[in-house]
Amino acid sequence: MVTSRAELTKAGRRWSGAEVAVATAAFGLAAAAIITRTTRPPSATALAVAAVFFVLVPGGYIALSVEGVRRLVWSMVSALPSTAQLLAGPVLLWLAIVTYAASTGLTIVPRLAAYGVYLLIPPLLLALPPSASGVKPRVPLRELTIVFALWLPIEFRILPPLPLPPPNGVDMRKLVGLVEAMYLFLVARPLTGIGYTYRLTARDAATAVIVFLAYAVVALPIGFATGFIGWRPELDATHLVGGPLIIYLVTGVPEEFLFRGLLQNLIAEWLGPRAGLAIASVVFGLAHLPDPRYVLLAAIAGVAYGLVYFRTQRITASAITHALVDATWGALLRG
């Protein structure tokens, strides 16, 4: 499952103009969303620190979609000892969080402690040898443990918030965990088959849309029958244009990276593609507790997203289906 560095270098692609263009556009869209939806920081220093933090976290998440960027980051840490390679990215994130908190008036100690534990345990787990005998186990227990260690503290809101900019800006907790996961599994110890690239074909996009329509045929009757959704259209520009794009970047791609690129991918390698699809879909559904109606619809949605991922091997394609589902619900079907 883990790709050797020699294999990655040999198979590494050149810089893709399409990837760079999409990443640049996504960065601009994210910056515009932050600027237009939040208030200006109280001082020039706070503004500068917030800008650096934005480049490192949302910017890092977007930039790592480019294969050339991943190879560049690897070249910067490749000379370090093995464990230091794994720790380099998380330590940088930790220091950035502490500096950001200190410069913007957020309480430092809770963030220093909580994010220190959160960010440093996963790379240390990944640094452990696979087994005492040196033989790689068939069960990816270590990698799955890391996935849940990165996801559950965010799911249960254990970590202190990181508003960008403070005090009431967009919370960066989810993206901090995402960037750490991307560093570990795309750069330091890359996993095969994640599919985090914006080099999508017309067939990829068509698959995403067709599966979305199939999901709608199944999910709409269930949603209306259970009273979870209702016909409440809000057909303004925000819901029809800006909303889907923001959902794609803020919710679609991050959740698809976790549930399909990591969880489904790891389980499929262990138990087979059908088991990977089924288990990841159930876990995705359970992530939407406590409403059982929501759990059911989310689990069915997980099957839809997982099918797109299986067909295209692109989390950026399954994120299209994910964004279409969420955007349709937000624009037309609020329960």
Side-chain angles (χ1 to χ4, degrees), residues 36-120:
T36 57
R37 295 187 179 195
T38 59
T39 58
R40 183 184 175 90
S43 68
T45 300
L47 177 62
V49 172
V52 172
F53 194 66
F54 175 82
V55 170
L56 184 63
V57 178
Y61 143 49
I62 293 167
L64 287 171
S65 68
V66 181
E67 176 64 29
V69 171
R70 298 201 287 266
R71 288 192 287 157
L72 177 62
V73 174
W74 169 249
S75 71
M76 296 168 65
V77 301
S78 59
L80 297 173
S82 179
T83 300
Q85 292 169 4
L86 291 165
L87 287 169
V91 167
L92 178 61
L93 277 172
W94 186 28
L95 293 175
I97 290 168
V98 174
T99 302
Y100 178 69
S103 303
T104 55
L106 298 172
T107 52
I108 300 174
V109 174
R111 289 168 175 82
L112 184 149
Y115 284 98
V117 173
Y118 175 72
L119 292 173
L120 299 183

Side-chain angles (χ1 to χ4, degrees), residues 212-213 215-236 239-240 247 291 293-294 297 322-335:
F212 160 70
L213 295 174
Y215 170 74
V217 170
V218 174
L220 286 175
I222 296 174
F224 283 119
T226 59
F228 183 73
I229 59 175
W231 180 253
R232 296 176 179 85
E234 298 182 32
L235 303 179
D236 53 76
H239 285 93
L240 293 178
I247 290 170
D291 191 326
R293 300 171 301 174
Y294 200 8
L297 290 172
H322 196 142
L324 287 171
V325 169
D326 286 5
T328 301
W329 179 61
L332 301 175
L333 301 170
R334 286 285 183 178

Side-chain angles (χ1 to χ4, degrees), residues 141-187:
L141 182 61
R142 179 178 54 174
E143 287 79 7
L144 288 171
T145 300
I146 292 169
V147 169
F148 282 99
L150 288 171
W151 169 46
L152 293 178
I154 295 174
E155 180 70 21
F156 292 106
R157 298 183 176 274
I158 296 172
L159 298 170
L162 290 171
L164 178 69
N168 299 313
V170 179
D171 195 346
M172 292 287 113
R173 282 179 290 191
K174 179 190 293 186
L175 293 191
V176 166
L178 176 66
V179 171
E180 162 130 323
M182 287 182 170
Y183 176 80
L184 293 178
F185 293 116
L186 293 176
V187 177

Side-chain angles (χ1 to χ4, degrees), residues 1-3 136 140 143 189-193 265-270:
M1 177 59 67
V2 177
T3 306
K136 181 181 176 182
E143 287 79 7
R189 297 293 184 272
L191 295 179
T192 58
N265 189 12
L266 286 165
I267 296 173
E269 184 73 11
W270 170 28

